[in-house]
Amino acid sequence: PAFSVADIRKTFLDFFASKGHTVVPSSSLVPGNDPTLMFTNSGMVQFKDVFLGTDKRPYVRATSVQACLRAGGKHNDLENVGYTARHHTFFEMLGNWSFGDYFKRESLKWAWELLTEVYKLPADRLLATVYQEDDEAYDIWTKEIGLPPERVIRIGDNKGGRYKSDNFWMMADTGPCGPCSEIFYDHGDHIPGGPPGSPDEDGDRFIEIWNNVFMQFDMAEDGSVKPLPAPCVDTGMGLERLAAILQHVHSNYEIDLFAALIKAASRETGEQDLNHKSLRVIADHIRATAFLVSDGVIPSNEGRGYVQRRIVRRAIRHGYKLGKKTPFFHKLVADLVKVMGEAYPKLREQEQRITEVLKTEEERFFETLANGMEILDITLANGVRVLPGDVAFKLHDTYGFPLDLTNDVCRERDVQVDEAGFKLAMEKQKAQARAAGKFKMDKALDYSGASNDFVGYDKLEATAKIV
Ligand code: ATP
Ligand code: MG
Ligand code: MG
Ligand code: MG
C-alpha cells in the first residue's frame, strides 16, 4: 500500500531519531524575532541562531517536519502555484540538522539510505547535484554511495543568472548559507523538462526533492562571508513532493491530502473537473491562509498581513472565475481541519476563528470584486495586449486588487501588465496626497471598504515584491 502523508512524516522522524536526532516540533510561520525574514520558508529558520553560535540547544542533532510558507521574501512561489506540479505557497518540509556535529558524508549517506532502503525509491530514478567546486560531495556520491558519474551534476551559484539552478543556498539575503547537494527524481520521459543545469530544467520531469545544505558561512549585507563557528548540516525535503512519488502520481496536487481539499473546492465552487487549475490554487491557498491565521496573521494592508490578504483574494478570484459570486472559501476550513488537524492541533483548536477571519475578508472583497473584474474585462476587450499601469493602479486602489492578482488574471489571458506604469501611478498618488497635506493617511485605518489597499510605495516594495 502507498505511503500516506501521515506515514511519510512518521517514517522520516523515526529514521532520524534512530540516528540520534532529537525530534523538534514545527515552529510558527512567523519567525520569532527575525526582521530579515517575512515567513518561515524552511526548516532551518528556527535554528538560525544555533548556526550563528548565538543560541545553544541541549542537542547537536535535530529533526522536524516544519510548516513553511513561500510567499513574499526571497523564496516566493506564489506565482508558481497553479502553473507547476511541484510548488505550493504553504508546504511541509522534512528536515534533519547537525549543529557542528556530522557533516557531508553522514548527511548524504543517510539521505540515500532513507530514500532507497526505507521509502524504497528506485535508485535508477535518482540524480544528485553538487556545488561546482565541491569535490568532496562529488566523491561521496560517486565513490562511496555509488551513483554513476553521469547522474551527479555540478552546478554553480548561478551568479550569471543563466539558469534557475543554484547550489549555494541562502535563507535570505543575509545570514547562514553554504554550498548544497540536491537530490532529484526523474518522473519519466513522458513529461517535458530537462535535468538540473540544462536549459529546460524548469520543466517538471526532474523534480528536486531533497536539499542537503552544508552550512559554512554567515553572509553580511555587502555580500561578504565569514565562517560559522562550526560547519553544520541543514537539509530539507518537500513532504508533498516525496508523497507524489510514493503515491505514484506526478503532481503534488494529486496526493491524498490534496485530493480531499480539491474535492472540497469542487463541492464549493461547482467545478467538476478535478484537474482544473483554479481548484489547485484554492486548495493551496486555504492551507496557507488558514495556517497564517492560526499563527496570528490576519489580512491587512501591510507587512505579513498584506501577503495574507493577497493570498486570500487570489483564491477568491479563482472561485469567482469558476462562477462563485458569494463567499465560499472559508467553508474549506472544516475540510482542512479534517486532513491536517491531527498533525497540527492548533488548526482544530482555532477552526472557528480561522473560519470567521477568512469569511470577513471574503465578504469585504466580494463587495468590489465584480466591479473590478468588469473594468478589467472592458479594458482588455478588443485584443488589448498590455494592461495600462493606471488601470492596474485603479484596480488596486479602488477595488482592492493586489497587483499580483491582476497579474494572475492577465497571465491567463496572455496580457502584460505595465508594472512601471503602475508604480508611477502609485507614486503620483502619494505625491498628490502629500501635497494636499493629508498623507498622514492612515487609509489603512479607514476601513470603509476593501477599497483602501494603498500602503505607500515603500511598503509595497518591501512586502509585495511581485513577480
Ligand atoms: P525548486 O527549485 O523546485 O523551486 P528550491 O530549490 O527552491 O525548489 P529549497 O529551497 O532547496 O527548494 O527547499 C528544499 C526542498 O523543499 C526542495 O527540495 C523541495 O522538495 C521543497 N520545496 C521547496 N519549495 C517548495 C514549494 N514551493 N512547494 C513544495 N515544496 C517545496
Ligand atoms: Mg524554489
Ligand atoms: Mg531548486
Ligand atoms: Mg533547492
Side-chain angles (χ1 to χ4, degrees), residues 9 26 29 67 90 92 257 261 283 285-296 308 330 332-356 358:
R9 288 193 197 101
S26 176
L29 288 179
F90 173 94
E92 293 174 82
L257 191 158
L261 294 178
H285 289 7
I286 192 63
R287 298 212 302 168
T289 56
F291 270 82
L292 276 174
V293 176
S294 81
D295 283 335
Q308 164 76 311
H330 65 281
L332 297 171
V333 174
D335 302 279
L336 177 67
V337 168
K338 269 189 214 129
V339 287
M340 296 193 76
E342 191 169 327
Y344 297 89
K346 64 184 173 184
L347 283 181
R348 191 175 284 153
E349 285 152 22
Q350 299 190 48
E351 178 172 347
Q352 184 87 25
R353 191 175 149 265
I354 298 168
T355 307
E356 267 155 31
L358 295 182

Side-chain angles (χ1 to χ4, degrees), residues 70 86-87 164-167 169 182 184 201 208 211 241:
R70 293 196 174 185
R86 69 187 196 276
H87 288 106
K164 259 191 85 189
S165 277
D166 182 336
N167 273 40
W169 199 87
E182 300 190 314
F184 285 71
E201 65 175 2
E208 176 190 328
N211 193 353
R241 294 188 188 184

